[in-house]
Amino acid sequence: MRIAFAGTPDFAARALQAVLDAGHVVSLVLSQPDRPSGRGLKLTASPVKQLAMAHGLPIMQPRSLRLDGRHPEDAHQARDALLAARPAVLVVAAYGLILPQWVLDLPQHGCLNIHASLLPRWRGAAPIQRAIEAGDAQTGITIMQMDAGLDTGDMLYHTARPLSADETAASLHDALAQDGATAIVHVLAQLEAGRSLPRVPQPATGITYAAKLLKSEAALDFNQPAVVLARRIRAFDPFPGCSIQFPGLGAIKVWAAEALPSPATAGSVPGSILPGGHFDVVTAEGTLRLKVVQKPGGRRQPAEAFLRDVSMPSCLSLR
């Protein structure tokens, strides 16, 4: 089939590679404009654009797709390119722009989205991280027929996977990226063979929203339970990372921690550091053992190595 593809980060690039490997003709690629990256803030192409360039695919990078929006010239050029590309379907994965109705209506089979959750749970921008943060037992991939709502379209296909106790956003991203690539190739094969895919409306119950990650969420609050903090640390690895205020050093990153089943010392207040040779901090419920940390300007290191180089205070800031 002739396919157009819209995506930006590595998650989407893996799906595009799978579509190409399956032998489909990718007649147009849409990706976000180049962004400043690295210490030098050099303009850098997205992973999807880099892959498209390596395969010699036509690329468009509109700032908007709204014909009546702030960048109508971009939208009109993108529309002309999509019309010329004549896609049977537009595959969308973590693109980052809202698709107006004219885009949804243009391909013969509409627009199919690769979403990294089991809809309707975790609609929105950060489904991978929010699933870990909430302590979900499983997550997965949903292939959805896109409509004008926020991840509200009918479901065509889904695949689930359990969440392990040590899952981080980085490890889950890689697993779901592969699952999404496999799933979209399966769905496209059904369409190419002329098989009808059952469109299942999303249920009205069980809807949750995965809000965009904010740097302001990074600070650990020891007034929360240890199990909640341990999940957040895993969910925010690699971005935005979690942090604590350490006297004399400022904000240090916490990349791994364990919620201990034993209760904290009676009478200890949240933020208190317990003796015993480990980086154990009292929380509202239980003790949080910090296992991997990072000084400002340094690298990740085991908490034991960090403790050998610093003078330990009796208590950390609660935020």
Side-chain angles (χ1 to χ4, degrees):
M1 290 192 299
R2 291 178 64 86
I3 293 170
F5 188 93
T8 299
D10 181 66
F11 181 91
R14 300 192 196 193
L16 175 57
Q17 184 64 64
V19 168
L20 292 168
D21 291 344
H24 297 291
V25 176
V26 178
S27 53
L28 181 65
V29 172
L30 301 175
S31 193
Q32 286 271 352
D34 297 358
R35 305 291 189 199
S37 179
R39 293 186 177 181
L41 296 180
K42 179 181 178 181
L43 282 179
T44 303
S46 72
V48 164
K49 179 182 178 180
Q50 294 179 41
L51 179 61
M53 292 174 62
H55 286 272
L57 304 176
I59 305 165
M60 293 287 293
Q61 295 177 273
R63 291 166 290 179
S64 171
L65 291 171
R66 291 187 55 182
L67 298 174
D68 59 350
R70 294 178 57 189
H71 305 285
E73 66 282 3
D74 285 25
H76 280 88
Q77 291 174 8
R79 184 177 64 175
D80 291 344
L82 275 168
L83 288 170
R86 297 180 292 107
V89 63
L90 172 63
V91 173
V92 182
Y95 178 33
L97 288 184
I98 294 174
L99 301 190
Q101 195 63 46
W102 73 262
V103 179
L104 300 175
D105 294 338
L106 190 149
Q108 175 188 350
H109 296 292
C111 302
L112 304 184
N113 179 245
I114 307 170
H115 188 76
S117 81
L118 297 175
L119 291 170
R121 188 160 178 79
W122 302 127
R123 295 173 178 174
I128 292 174
Q129 295 87 346
R130 299 306 183 188
I132 296 173
E133 185 183 21
D136 289 2
Q138 67 171 359
T139 187
I141 289 290
T142 303
I143 305 299
M144 173 189 63
Q145 189 82 47
M146 296 182 71
D147 61 16
L150 175 63
D151 299 329
T152 57
D154 292 345
M155 300 178 292
L156 303 180
Y157 182 80
H158 74 270
T159 179
R161 69 164 48 244
L163 281 176
S164 66
D166 60 351
E167 199 83 73
T168 67
S171 63
L172 184 56
H173 167 279
D174 291 349
L176 289 180
Q178 183 56 53
D179 291 349
T182 302
I184 194 61
V185 168
H186 169 77
V187 169
L188 292 176
Q190 304 306 303
L191 288 177
E192 188 177 27
R195 302 187 185 98
S196 60
L197 291 164
R199 294 178 52 156
V200 179
Q202 295 187 34
T205 58
I207 298 171
T208 58
Y209 289 92
K212 182 180 179 180
L213 299 179
L214 301 175
K215 290 184 178 180
S216 59
E217 297 179 82
L220 293 177
D221 182 354
F222 296 113
N223 284 310
Q224 295 183 325
V227 292
V228 172
L229 297 177
R231 290 199 304 259
R232 181 171 299 161
I233 290 165
R234 291 189 287 110
F236 288 12
D237 180 3
F239 178 86
C242 286
S243 64
I244 59 174
Q245 289 295 324
F246 194 90
L249 291 177
I252 67 171
K253 293 283 190 179
V254 180
W255 294 112
E258 177 185 5
L260 300 181
S262 57
T265 302
S268 296
V269 298
S272 298
I273 298 175
L274 300 177
H278 296 288
F279 201 160
D280 292 347
V281 186
V282 176
T283 73
E285 295 179 20
T287 301
L288 186 69
R289 175 166 292 175
L290 310 188
K291 303 181 77 171
V292 178
V293 298
Q294 182 180 3
K295 297 177 185 178
R299 297 182 178 181
R300 299 188 187 197
Q301 63 179 153
E304 290 80 3
F306 171 82
L307 294 178
R308 289 194 294 267
D309 297 334
V310 300
S311 297
M312 291 296 286
S314 61
C315 191
L316 296 174
S317 171
L318 296 184
R319 270 191 81 79

